[in-house]
Amino acid sequence: MALPPPSRSRQRIFFILCVSAFIIFLTNLTVITGTDYRDGIEILPIPQSLKRPVQRNKPPQLTIHEDKDDFSYSSEKADDHPIPHLMEKAAADFRQYQDSRSRTFVQAIGRYRKKYGRHPPPGFDKAGIPYGCREERNVYNIDDFDQIWDDLRPFWSIPPLELRKVVKGMLKEDPENSGLAGITIKITSGNWRTDEFVRMLNVFVKELPDMQIAMNRLDQPRVIVEWEKLQEHLNVEEKSRNLDRSVTNGFSRSRELGRADESMSFPIAGWFSASKKPYMDLASKACPPDSYARNNVTMDPAVAEAKYKFPNSGGLVSNFNISSDLCTIGPEIQDLHGMLFAPATMVATKELVPVFSECKVNVNNDILFPANMYYSDDPRYTYNPENDIPWDDKHTTVFWRGMTSGGSQELGTWRRLHRHRFVQLANGTDLHNTKTHLTLPTLNSTTTPPSYTETKNWDPSPFSEKYTDVGFPELAWCVPDSKCGWLRSFLKEVNATTALTDQFLNKYLPDIDGHSFSGRWHAWLKSRSLGIKATIFREWHDSRLFAWQHFVPMDNRFDDFYSIITYFIGLGNRKGGGGVYIPTHDSTGKRLAGQGREWAAKVLRKEDIEVYMFRLMLEYARLLDDRREMIGYGGNGRRMKEEKEWAWP
Ligand SMILES: *[C@@H]1O[C@H](CO)[C@@H](O)[C@H](O)[C@H]1NC(C)=O
Ligand SMILES: *[C@@H]1O[C@H](CO)[C@@H](O)[C@H](O)[C@H]1NC(C)=O
Ligand SMILES: *[C@@H]1O[C@H](CO)[C@@H](O)[C@H](O)[C@H]1NC(C)=O
Ligand SMILES: *[C@@H]1O[C@H](CO)[C@@H](O)[C@H](O)[C@H]1NC(C)=O
Ligand SMILES: *[C@@H]1O[C@H](CO)[C@@H](O)[C@H](O)[C@H]1NC(C)=O
């Protein structure tokens, strides 16, 4: 007992120190080398090369492909169909998106200031840290909130008091008739839409100051400011940018309109009804002077079309963003989409007023927020894996069910409504009766090597008969006969498989607008089926979803519908004696569906919606603050105590 034994606890502390040092070393290594963020992108094979795609080393925890079997092209030859070209481009854009995101809060702050020329709003460190960092919300791309900025930018031209008066004025008008719901952080009247909105806010409401929000309760967007006027607003905003001033990280205390203000006159929002009126009459004025929408008489439609269609591809969309830009496509589709020629309920204004809406078209000035349906647990819209069987077990069927919504159904015009057009386009009998013939890319064996050229005058009727199951389970809401007696001589009600999860028994799921956006879209993306999307609407999530990488885009005219589905399903056979031939590309469909599913699980979660809402509310609250030029997050993004950067995986 001459020497004391080495202290146990000291050994333990030393051991813990070593382990921590090693962990810190590893963490820094990954941050510096960035090796851990290359997640599930697989490299597309170069068309016509038959080499197997190079597999990158992927960390196992990031791959969510549950279908472990063949995901490569080895079973099918990669060929030069336009679709692999489009997918290759999308994969490159997506890789760029992933690689360029901020790794640390310091970086994110720097980017914010560089992009917007302002300090981030007060509380941004909270939006960035508790709601954005790995441990809590695990937001994938903390930079990708440009939509918020685009939506709010013009309002910087209106002084805060004026803005608050506008909001209060809108809500003072009879809320039932104006189609708006008021949300005063302390909540007034509401309906189901406000209930969800409030649920989203509740997560972080204690970080927000008092304020009033005017939320759109109608399906359609509301605000549409003329282009020239909007430019004036944007110019004022640009001049007001300032990064020199030091700012305080907190909102002003009392900003409610005081009692004395109640006697003030409130600005009029200028609502007018545009129901059943051509929407392009309003929309074209919100387009730039050199756009097709404002030059429809002198400009060649082919010039506009070249901006978003892949050449000689049977109409495939190469730029999904432009394919729904009304300034570019409006004149072509103004008679083909219900909202554009016969919106059921349209209350609009040309004044720049802050109204929160779930969707809009590209020329609207509504402020987007994540649609309530995406946050709710409503089984009609929420992904339910019950019948989402593995791809290989699904029916090779294009499946669609929906309500007869989209616009006012009248005898003279119903055939032009987008949903009705789609249903007829997938109706073999109707295609046959109307002698419809289409153009699509097919394999041409007379060229060496065999390549795709457009076949014209193709009769889609037999193919449609075999592979599509599309229709309305119920015919309702017609004018004048709400039971739709007259419509029944053209359409019939089909087997009512409307349970969301039953639809996943099929491989191919088109998603078509209704009165407004389709609330099923997140469920489609989260499923193992492949979503095919046509829409004229913009939503909060647009910049994080890549067409041809996570889903298949479709033109709003649907002229590319058969080019898309014949590529995946295949058509005819090689020895078919002069008939058209397209090899099947089933595993490409499976891979796209898997990519969409994996990505949706990462960026369309409730947490992502909450963070979007939080950042939106911080920006909006600053806009309404009398001291908005003097408040903001002025820090550099380092953690106060340890001067250590926050880092994301
Ligand atoms: C072209 O624009 C004029 C004026 O806005 C409009 O009346 C007309 O319907 C448009 N035509 C087409 C084909 O878009
Ligand atoms: C095949 O390609 C050749 C050369 O481009 C063209 O002349 C021919 O019309 C094409 N055949 C079919 C069936 O598309
Ligand atoms: C398909 O079209 C035919 C002929 O126009 C029509 O009789 C039938 O009801 C339609 N089917 C569906 C499902 O709408
Ligand atoms: C309608 O649906 C039921 C139940 O899903 C199914 O058994 C039946 O075969 C379907 N009928 C048709 C005509 O598709
Ligand atoms: C869509 O295009 C517009 C105009 O070209 C651009 O400002 C916007 O950032 C694009 N949006 C997305 C999501 O790419």
Side-chain angles (χ1 to χ4, degrees):
M1 281 291 182
L3 287 170
S7 143
R8 269 290 229 335
S9 64
R10 249 195 223 176
Q11 278 182 342
R12 203 174 289 158
I13 287 170
F14 183 66
F15 178 70
I16 289 170
L17 277 177
C18 285
V19 170
S20 326
F22 186 61
I23 289 173
I24 289 169
F25 171 72
L26 279 187
T27 314
N28 282 335
L29 196 67
T30 31
V31 169
I32 293 162
T33 59
T35 46
D36 66 337
Y37 62 85
R38 307 219 177 267
D39 64 354
I41 335 168
E42 280 154 279
I43 298 178
L44 283 172
I46 298 155
Q48 281 172 333
S49 95
L50 301 179
K51 276 186 226 139
R52 285 181 68 93
V54 185
Q55 291 288 336
R56 295 195 202 190
N57 279 338
K58 291 186 288 180
Q61 77 275 14
L62 286 178
T63 36
I64 315 175
H65 289 307
E66 288 138 51
D67 312 312
K68 288 275 184 293
D69 48 8
D70 174 38
F71 244 89
S72 77
Y73 271 74
S74 59
S75 57
E76 288 165 9
K77 287 183 181 173
D79 51 37
D80 85 334
H81 190 283
I83 285 180
H85 291 282
L86 291 162
M87 288 174 60
E88 199 181 2
K89 167 82 168 48
D93 292 349
F94 182 52
R95 217 171 296 135
Q96 156 81 16
Y97 172 90
Q98 294 184 300
D99 290 355
S100 62
R101 72 200 162 103
S102 287
R103 304 276 140 197
T104 64
F105 194 49
V106 173
Q107 260 177 17
I109 294 281
R111 283 200 188 166
Y112 185 104
R113 295 198 174 110
K114 190 154 179 246
K115 262 200 279 193
Y116 309 141
R118 295 182 190 281
H119 294 293
F124 190 79
D125 44 343
K126 297 206 171 82
I129 297 170
Y131 298 100
C133 81
R134 171 160 55 185
E135 306 88 73
E136 283 252 358
R137 291 290 199 277
N138 195 10
V139 167
Y140 184 81
N141 186 346
I142 204 76
D143 305 319
D144 187 9
F145 293 88
D146 286 353
Q147 185 71 51
I148 294 175
W149 183 247
D150 289 346
D151 292 349
L152 293 181
R153 236 191 96 191
F155 294 100
W156 278 86
S157 63
I158 304 172
L161 176 63
E162 196 67 16
L163 268 180
R164 299 202 301 273
K165 278 163 66 178
V166 169
V167 176
K168 195 150 191 157
M170 285 194 285
L171 299 178
K172 265 171 80 90
E173 286 177 34
D174 178 359
E176 286 313 311
N177 289 332
S178 69
L180 294 173
I183 294 162
T184 304
I185 298 237
K186 277 177 214 154
I187 321 311
T188 58
S189 73
N191 64 354
W192 69 270
R193 271 199 174 137
T194 45
D195 292 347
E196 282 306 328
F197 194 101
V198 168
R199 236 159 47 85
M200 289 187 246
L201 284 180
N202 266 340
V203 181
F204 45 78
V205 72
K206 52 183 191 306
E207 313 286 352
L208 299 175
D210 294 350
M211 59 183 157
Q212 273 192 317
I213 296 159
M215 196 200 75
N216 186 7
R217 294 191 299 145
L218 304 183
D219 287 331
Q220 289 84 0
R222 309 286 291 262
V223 187
I224 185 157
V225 179
E226 293 183 357
W227 189 85
E228 281 77 3
K229 205 171 142 198
L230 186 67
Q231 300 317 301
E232 289 169 21
H233 286 291
L234 293 177
N235 286 340
V236 174
E237 183 281 325
E238 208 163 334
K239 292 207 185 81
S240 75
R241 292 181 189 184
N242 190 333
L243 277 172
D244 300 335
R245 196 178 286 130
S246 68
V247 285
T248 43
N249 191 9
F251 294 101
S252 306
R253 280 271 173 77
S254 174
R255 312 170 316 140
E256 283 261 42
L257 291 182
R259 207 165 267 240
D261 296 319
E262 291 291 347
S263 59
M264 284 195 240
S265 62
F266 292 101
I268 301 296
W271 300 119
F272 57 91
S273 166
S275 301
K276 302 193 185 175
K277 300 225 176 79
Y279 197 66
M280 279 309 291
D281 286 357
L282 290 173
S284 58
K285 295 191 176 70
C287 288
D290 59 352
S291 64
Y292 181 43
R294 279 174 69 171
N295 300 276
N296 67 8
V297 182
T298 52
M299 245 166 101
D300 179 2
V303 173
E305 195 162 296
K307 293 182 182 167
Y308 62 94
K309 292 268 206 189
F310 196 83
N312 307 319
S313 68
L316 295 171
V317 168
S318 57
N319 187 323
F320 188 54
N321 184 10
I322 299 180
S323 82
S324 61
D325 172 354
L326 290 188
C327 302
T328 312
I329 54 144
E332 299 303 308
I333 62 165
Q334 60 186 338
D335 292 331
L336 300 175
H337 193 290
M339 196 200 96
L340 299 182
F341 73 87
T345 47
M346 176 65 73
V347 183
T349 179
K350 293 183 184 181
E351 303 297 324
L352 183 64
V353 292
V355 171
F356 285 72
S357 295
E358 298 173 302
C359 74
K360 60 178 175 178
V361 295
N362 74 303
V363 287
N364 287 125
N365 305 100
D366 300 50
I367 300 165
L368 288 177
F369 70 92
N372 294 299
M373 287 159 190
Y374 296 141
Y375 197 72
S376 81
D377 300 314
D378 187 330
R380 288 172 304 164
Y381 304 107
T382 309
Y383 173 65
N384 167 358
E386 193 178 320
N387 282 334
D388 191 9
I389 53 181
W391 176 270
D392 295 332
D393 299 335
K394 292 179 194 279
H395 304 302
T396 302
T397 301
V398 181
F399 189 91
W400 185 87
R401 293 287 184 274
M403 303 300 292
T404 47
S405 61
S408 181
Q409 300 170 92
E410 293 168 35
L411 185 57
T413 51
W414 71 271
R415 266 186 188 273
R416 297 200 264 126
L417 293 168
H418 47 287
R419 286 194 159 185
H420 298 62
R421 277 194 304 117
F422 185 70
V423 165
Q424 291 300 62
L425 183 65
N427 178 337
T429 316
D430 195 69
L431 291 167
H432 180 76
N433 291 350
T434 53
K435 299 192 168 51
T436 302
H437 285 80
L438 303 169
T439 297
L440 75 174
T442 60
L443 199 60
N444 183 335
S445 52
T446 68
T447 64
T448 16
S451 64
Y452 284 84
T453 51
E454 279 187 333
T455 290
K456 300 200 188 334
N457 294 317
W458 174 69
D459 173 10
S461 153
F463 183 88
S464 174
E465 205 63 59
K466 188 160 176 203
Y467 292 112
T468 69
D469 183 354
V470 168
F472 299 116
E474 190 191 346
L475 302 177
W477 312 322
C478 293
V479 179
D481 164 21
S482 70
K483 295 252 161 52
C484 291
W486 59 266
L487 190 58
R488 284 165 207 275
S489 46
F490 306 105
L491 296 173
K492 68 167 189 284
E493 292 176 345
V494 293
N495 214 351
T497 309
T498 46
L500 194 85
T501 190
D502 291 345
Q503 317 210 8
F504 303 137
L505 295 169
N506 307 285
K507 286 181 182 168
Y508 304 102
L509 299 181
D511 192 40
I512 310 292
D513 293 338
H515 282 318
S516 64
F517 73 101
S518 158
R520 293 182 286 202
W521 186 227
H522 282 195
W524 271 203
L525 289 163
K526 287 174 183 170
S527 79
R528 294 183 183 84
S529 300
L530 180 58
I532 303 174
K533 179 79 169 169
T535 184
I536 62 168
F537 295 107
R538 301 290 159 107
E539 293 183 64
W540 70 282
H541 56 224
D542 287 347
S543 62
R544 58 184 71 185
L545 298 175
F546 288 68
W548 294 115
Q549 172 73 19
H550 304 125
F551 65 94
V552 174
M554 180 160 64
D555 193 288
N556 280 297
R557 285 166 289 192
F558 315 136
D559 55 337
D560 49 349
F561 175 57
Y562 285 98
S563 301
I564 293 167
I565 61 174
T566 54
Y567 171 77
F568 292 112
I569 296 175
L571 175 67
N573 56 61
R574 194 186 297 276
K575 302 186 191 87
V580 290
Y581 172 54
I582 304 175
T584 173
H585 297 89
D586 184 75
S587 66
T588 312
K590 177 180 181 172
R591 190 162 61 86
L592 262 180
Q595 285 169 185
R597 174 174 167 78
E598 181 180 347
W599 185 237
K602 231 182 234 172
V603 302
L604 298 180
R605 305 160 307 152
K606 283 200 168 171
E607 291 90 331
D608 296 304
I609 291 175
E610 287 160 6
V611 171
Y612 190 96
M613 276 298 263
F614 189 24
R615 283 188 61 161
L616 173 60
M617 286 301 136
L618 288 180
E619 296 279 4
Y620 177 70
R622 171 165 65 168
L623 262 181
L624 299 184
D625 197 304
D626 283 326
R627 297 174 62 251
R628 71 185 178 196
E629 307 287 351
M630 273 85 78
I631 57 173
Y633 174 75
N636 63 5
R638 281 170 203 279
R639 201 203 283 257
M640 280 309 174
K641 271 189 241 148
E642 298 144 51
E643 285 294 306
K644 185 173 171 295
E645 293 187 7
W646 292 89
W648 288 277

